[in-house]
Structures are given as structure tokens and as C-alpha cells.
């Protein structure tokens, strides 16, 4: 039998996608790793992993990639970005761009690659990368969290829609990973506008917007990816996979009243410090 083939988006070096590509490769699958810039995947190519240019925001790029692929068993929609800002100060244009990337690009990938998945005779599967923030609202991350909540809802509905075709649809709820995600512009360059109602707390809020204190934390990407791939390749894979630092605690919190996680949310967002400065 030919190897199962998996296509993964967002595989630039140092990110979750690259770690997943290596883990699927180590599990014996044929991996097609994609990113906008092929030069950011040289580490994967050196391992014998096929790399391909694919910009998920470009219809032409998606169609071009699809024309080059003859067989597909697993589609992993991993490409995405963050955008941290107070809701009252959100740049709506930027928020719409975030939704285009985190939500609609995944939908378009599914639409274009669905014919190949329908031809698969080896447990065809779609994996959508969402986030633990799709179920827990966190201050300053409402644009990002809501975009992941939208994809989570689409994933849930899609699971029912594709059940008659025996296609598995898996949601990957990822928590904190020690990757380059926090280095992306939407997070690393976040800054409070001068006229914000939160201006009195900018000394605390500006570093918090790009979560500088989390830059050295998170689960090991390689271990995370190995566990995720193990879950996806099970005979009966889970519908929702919770992985990453803090994922188990957040999963448990979904079964408890909100007050049980208020303290943790306030701590990670420095909300109490912000409130004190505003009320001075």
C-alpha cells in the first residue's frame, strides 16, 4: 500500500506546523509541508519532507497547490496568526484580516481539497487548528479567541456534514507551546493607542499585549506534535484534541463555573494591575 499522505499549512521553521510535519514524517506518512516562503522550510526539506509554496490567503496559490497533488488522506489546517489588542481599540480592518486567515482560509482549503479526500480509501481526515481560547475568553485576545471560536463552530458543524462520506473531522484545541507564534507581528508588535481608555495602565498593558512573560514558556513543540499525531492516527481518533501547556486544566474548566478560572485569567492578563492603575 502507498503511504498515507498529509498536507499541512503554515509550516515555517520554529512553528507548530513544522513540528507536526516532522512528527507525521516520523510516523511513516508522506508529508507535504507548505508555507508562503519555501526558504523557511529548508530544515524540513533536509529531512526528506516534501515542501511546497502555499499562501492560504491566495485563491491562485491554493488552486496551484491542489493541481500538483494527486492523493490526499489528511488535511491539517494549521496556518494562522494572532492579534492582541483591547476590544475598544481594535483595528477592525486588521481583525477582518485575522478572520480571513484564521477562519475563511481553512474553509477554502477544505472546499478545494475535499475532492481528493473523498477519493481517499485510508481514513480521510480534516484537522483544524483552533485554540483553547475558543472556549475561554481572555482579555486583550478577543479578536484572536473569537476567530478560533468561529473555526471551532464550523469544525463541529462540518463533522456532521461530512459524516455520510466517512471523513473524520478533528478539532485541535492547542494551549501554550514554546513556538515562534508570539513573535508574529499581530502579537509582538501590539501596542496600546495613545488615546485608549486604558492609557493610564500602558506601562503594564503594553508588555502584556505581546505576553513578553510567556515567551520562554510552553510545551515542547516536538513532544506536543508527537502526541497530536498519535491522537490523529488512532483507529477511532478523538473529535477534539486538547494539547499544550495548560490544556488539561482549561478542558476541566469548561465543566466548572466561570469563577473557578477567574483568578488564572486575571493573572495571565495582569488584569488586577491594570485595574489598579486605571482607578488611581
Amino acid at each position: 500500500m502507498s503511504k498515507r499522505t498529509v498536507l499541512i499549512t503554515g509550516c515555517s521553521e520554529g512553528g507548530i506546523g513544522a513540528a507536526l510535519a516532522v512528527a507525521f514524517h516520523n510516523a511513516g506518512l508522506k508529508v507535504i509541508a507548505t508555507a508562503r516562503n519555501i526558504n523557511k522550510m529548508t530544515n524540513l526539506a533536509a529531512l526528506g519532507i516534501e515542501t511546497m509554496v502555499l499562501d492560504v490567503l491566495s485563491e491562485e496559490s491554493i488552486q496551484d497547490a491542489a493541481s500538483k497533488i494527486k492523493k490526499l488522506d489528511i488535511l491539517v489546517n494549521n496556518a494562522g496568526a494572532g492579534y492582541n489588542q483591547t476590544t475598544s481599540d481594535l483595528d477592525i480592518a486588521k481583525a477582518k484580516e485575522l478572520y480571513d486567515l484564521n477562519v475563511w482560509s481553512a474553509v477554502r482549503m477544505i472546499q478545494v481539497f475535499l475532492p481528493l479526500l473523498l477519493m481517499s480509501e485510508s481514513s480521510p481526515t480534516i484537522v483544524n487548528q483552533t485554540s483553547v481560547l475558543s472556549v475561554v475568553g481572555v482579555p486583550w485576545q478577543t479578536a484572536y479567541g473569537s476567530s478560533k471560536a468561529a473555526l471551532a463552530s464550523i469544525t463541529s458543524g462540518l463533522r456532521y456534514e461530512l459524516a455520510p462520506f466517512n471523513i473524520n473531522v478533528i478539532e485541535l484545541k492547542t494551549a501554550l507551546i514554546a513556538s515562534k507564534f508570539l513573535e508574529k507581528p499581530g502579537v509582538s508588535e501590539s501596542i496600546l493607542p495613545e488615546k485608549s481608555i486604558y492609557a493610564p495602565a500602558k506601562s503594564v498593558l503594553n508588555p502584556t499585549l505581546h505576553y513578553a512573560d510567556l515567551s520562554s514558556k510552553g510545551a515542547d513543540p516536538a513532544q506536543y506534535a508527537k502526541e497530536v499525531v498519535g491522537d490523529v492516527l488512532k483507529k477511532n481518533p478523538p473529535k477534539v484534541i486538547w494539547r499544550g501547556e495548560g490544556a488539561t486544566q482549561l478542558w476541566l474548566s469548561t465543566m466548572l463555573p466561570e469563577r473557578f478560572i477567574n483568578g488564572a485569567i486575571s493573572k495571565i492578563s495582569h488584569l488586577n494591575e491594570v485595574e489598579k492603575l486605571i482607578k488611581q
Side-chain angles (χ1 to χ4, degrees):
M1 289 182 64
S2 60
K3 290 182 178 181
R4 294 181 73 189
T5 301
V6 54
L7 170 68
I8 309 170
T9 64
C11 292
S12 295
E13 185 175 1
I16 291 175
L20 288 171
V22 173
F24 274 113
H25 176 71
N26 290 341
L29 279 74
K30 176 184 177 182
V31 178
I32 304 172
T34 71
R36 288 180 298 175
N37 186 344
I38 201 164
N39 293 324
K40 292 186 177 182
M41 297 185 290
T42 55
N43 58 320
L44 300 179
L47 296 174
I49 295 173
E50 181 178 348
T51 60
M52 182 182 296
V53 173
L54 200 170
D55 180 353
V56 296
L57 290 175
S58 166
E59 178 70 20
E60 181 181 1
S61 182
I62 294 173
Q63 294 289 353
D64 182 61
S67 69
K68 298 174 181 176
I69 299 171
K70 305 304 179 185
K71 177 181 180 296
L72 186 63
D73 302 297
I74 304 173
L75 170 65
V76 181
N77 286 309
N78 170 74
Y83 173 35
N84 294 352
Q85 187 55 269
T86 59
T87 306
S88 56
D89 296 308
L90 281 178
D91 182 324
I92 300 300
K94 287 184 179 179
K96 288 182 177 180
E97 290 174 359
L98 185 75
Y99 268 68
D100 283 341
L101 176 56
N102 287 359
V103 183
W104 303 121
S105 72
V107 173
R108 190 57 186 143
M109 285 289 295
I110 292 166
Q111 291 176 336
V112 172
F113 286 92
L114 187 57
L116 285 173
L117 292 171
L118 289 169
M119 291 189 293
S120 170
E121 297 179 354
S122 183
S123 190
T125 302
I126 295 169
V127 181
N128 287 336
Q129 177 74 271
T130 67
S131 167
V132 293
L133 297 192
S134 65
V135 295
V136 179
V138 174
W140 336 130
Q141 297 194 53
T142 55
Y144 174 74
S146 62
S147 72
K148 291 300 187 178
L151 184 57
S153 179
I154 289 170
T155 304
S156 181
L158 184 68
R159 187 177 298 117
Y160 288 104
E161 292 179 359
L162 295 183
F165 303 96
N166 297 316
I167 294 179
N168 297 314
V169 179
I170 298 172
E171 181 190 351
L172 183 50
K173 286 192 184 292
T174 297
L176 187 60
I177 306 295
S179 70
K180 291 186 176 181
F181 182 80
L182 296 180
E183 298 177 13
K184 292 186 176 183
V187 179
S188 64
E189 297 176 5
S190 298
I191 189 169
L192 199 66
E194 287 296 326
K195 295 183 180 180
S196 171
I197 59 174
Y198 297 93
K202 65 181 180 180
S203 62
V204 171
L205 201 45
N206 276 338
T208 303
L209 285 177
H210 47 85
Y211 288 90
D213 52 351
L214 297 181
S215 59
S216 61
K217 298 181 180 179
D220 174 64
Q223 183 60 34
Y224 156 86
K226 181 179 180 180
E227 293 171 355
V228 167
V229 168
D231 290 334
V232 171
L233 298 182
K234 288 178 179 177
K235 184 176 181 180
N236 295 301
K239 295 179 175 63
V240 181
I241 297 171
W242 295 73
R243 293 291 182 186
E245 185 176 316
T248 300
Q249 294 89 328
L250 284 166
W251 170 70
L252 289 171
S253 76
T254 63
M255 297 175 248
L256 298 170
E258 186 179 351
R259 67 178 182 274
F260 284 92
I261 60 168
N262 284 348
I265 291 175
S266 294
K267 182 178 180 180
I268 196 173
S269 62
H270 298 277
L271 187 60
N272 292 337
E273 299 169 58
V274 170
E275 186 175 357
K276 287 180 182 177
L277 288 170
I278 288 175
K279 292 183 176 180
Q280 280 182 350

